[in-house]
Amino acid sequence: PSEAFAPRSSPARITSRSSYYGKSNRNNVISHEMVVDGGVAESITGAWAAYNEALEANPLLVKSVTASVILGAADFTGQAIERSRKSQDVAVED
């Protein structure tokens, strides 16, 4: 296991910037800052460490399962988008 993924003692900070377009000023930028609970960060770090350990122990099986999950999620998403587009086409034709 890598030392780079050791659990943190302090909460992780996530900062995002989003544009806000008001009537008077199109260049106004608002910053949002969210503090992630230390327990969530530790859970993610623990899951990542377990994944890496399983990958070292059984690389072919773990890579196969990972690829299956990713491809399954992509297929599901593609079908959902296609279904949504078809229902919009039907609504437009009516």
Side-chain angles (χ1 to χ4, degrees), residues 51-70:
Y51 174 80
N52 282 325
E53 288 175 15
L55 192 58
E56 288 179 17
N58 226 338
L60 183 61
L61 177 64
V62 173
K63 287 180 182 184
S64 298
V65 170
T66 302
S68 298
V69 168
I70 291 170

Side-chain angles (χ1 to χ4, degrees):
S2 174
E3 297 298 324
F5 296 106
R8 299 179 186 189
S9 58
S10 63
R13 288 194 169 303
I14 298 174
T15 304
S16 67
R17 295 175 61 97
S18 61
S19 296
Y20 168 77
Y21 298 105
K23 291 182 180 179
S24 61
N25 186 0
R26 295 186 140 254
N27 297 323
N28 189 12
V29 177
I30 299 173
S31 293
H32 301 283
E33 188 171 316
M34 177 176 68
V35 177
V36 177
D37 180 19
V40 173
E42 289 175 7
S43 296
I44 292 170
T45 303
W48 183 253
Y51 174 80
N52 282 325
E53 288 175 15
L55 192 58
E56 288 179 17
N58 226 338
L60 183 61
L61 177 64
V62 173
K63 287 180 182 184
S64 298
V65 170
T66 302
S68 298
V69 168
I70 291 170
L71 290 173
D75 185 49
F76 178 79
T77 303
Q79 289 180 23
I81 291 170
E82 187 67 26
R83 204 174 308 118
S84 172
R85 286 185 180 169
K86 283 184 180 180
S87 67
Q88 288 176 356
D89 290 344
V90 170
V92 170
E93 290 175 6
D94 289 341

